Amino acid sequence: MEQLEIWAKRSDVQIISQGANADPAAVAFDTVSSAVAKNMDIVLVDTAGRLHNKTNLMNELSKIKRVIQKVIPDAPHEVLLVLDASTGQNAIEQCRQFTEVTQVTGLALTKLDGTAKGGVVIGISDRFKIPVKFIGVGEGIDDLQVFDKAEFADSLFTGNR
């Protein structure tokens, strides 16, 4: 939560939180309700910690979706699965399990600033029919980039990023 608060301040955006032991679905509900009341266009709900091998956490992810649909029936409009480029084949299993509990609409691949090439993302995108939308190439505020497939393919063979 501390990291999210730091990024919210850096980005000059409002954050809604309720402490470390709060019910994540309740926080999501309050966040979406507040955004609707304030006529905001975009709400990000970060579900960090929803590990695919933890059944209760995956159930919580389903619950979050159900409670925000009480406020906005067709929500969420976008579900991004963030995958660490350095996890390799484990990312396939993560994607499989996440797609069983929620409709993932896009992938974001992080840690492409190191030695990881992120080649597994091609197989994931193809197998699950989920487009890659963003890549992370560092820790800075401008290091999340829109995915460019031609540039990515070129980087796999030339080593450029």
Side-chain angles (χ1 to χ4, degrees):
M1 198 166 65
E2 185 177 310
Q3 187 179 35
L4 290 175
E5 290 171 352
I6 290 168
W7 278 106
K9 184 178 279 188
R10 286 180 186 168
S11 305
D12 194 28
V13 296
Q14 182 182 359
I15 186 170
I16 295 179
S17 62
Q18 296 176 354
N21 295 321
D23 175 16
V27 177
F29 180 84
D30 290 348
T31 301
V32 173
S33 296
S34 174
V36 168
K38 295 174 182 175
N39 201 30
M40 293 182 167
D41 294 326
I42 298 172
V43 174
L44 298 175
V45 177
D46 186 331
T47 60
R50 305 292 148 232
L51 301 175
H52 69 284
N53 58 356
K54 303 291 185 192
T55 302
N56 290 341
L57 294 177
M58 293 302 283
N59 290 340
E60 189 66 38
L61 185 62
S62 294
K63 181 180 173 186
I64 289 169
K65 180 179 178 180
R66 289 191 309 272
V67 300
I68 65 173
Q69 286 177 334
K70 292 178 181 180
V71 182
I72 304 173
D74 62 340
H77 300 103
E78 182 88 66
V79 176
L80 294 175
L81 175 58
V82 180
L83 297 171
D84 182 327
S86 65
T87 61
Q89 294 297 315
N90 188 44
I92 293 171
E93 183 61 15
Q94 288 176 344
C95 191
R96 184 189 67 75
Q97 291 194 25
F98 271 94
T99 56
E100 286 178 3
V101 297
T102 192
Q103 184 180 359
V104 177
T105 60
L107 300 172
L109 191 64
T110 65
K111 298 187 182 170
L112 284 172
D113 52 322
T115 58
K117 287 287 191 180
V120 73
V121 76
I122 296 168
I124 291 172
S125 182
D126 181 60
R127 179 175 174 177
F128 296 97
K129 306 301 181 222
I130 302 170
V132 179
K133 296 195 174 185
F134 300 98
I135 58 169
V137 294
E139 295 287 331
I141 198 162
D142 295 320
D143 290 335
L144 183 64
Q145 303 174 357
V146 173
F147 178 71
D148 179 314
K149 62 185 174 187
E151 186 177 315
F152 179 77
D154 182 56
S155 75
L156 289 175
F157 300 104
T158 65
N160 295 333
R161 254 238 213 270

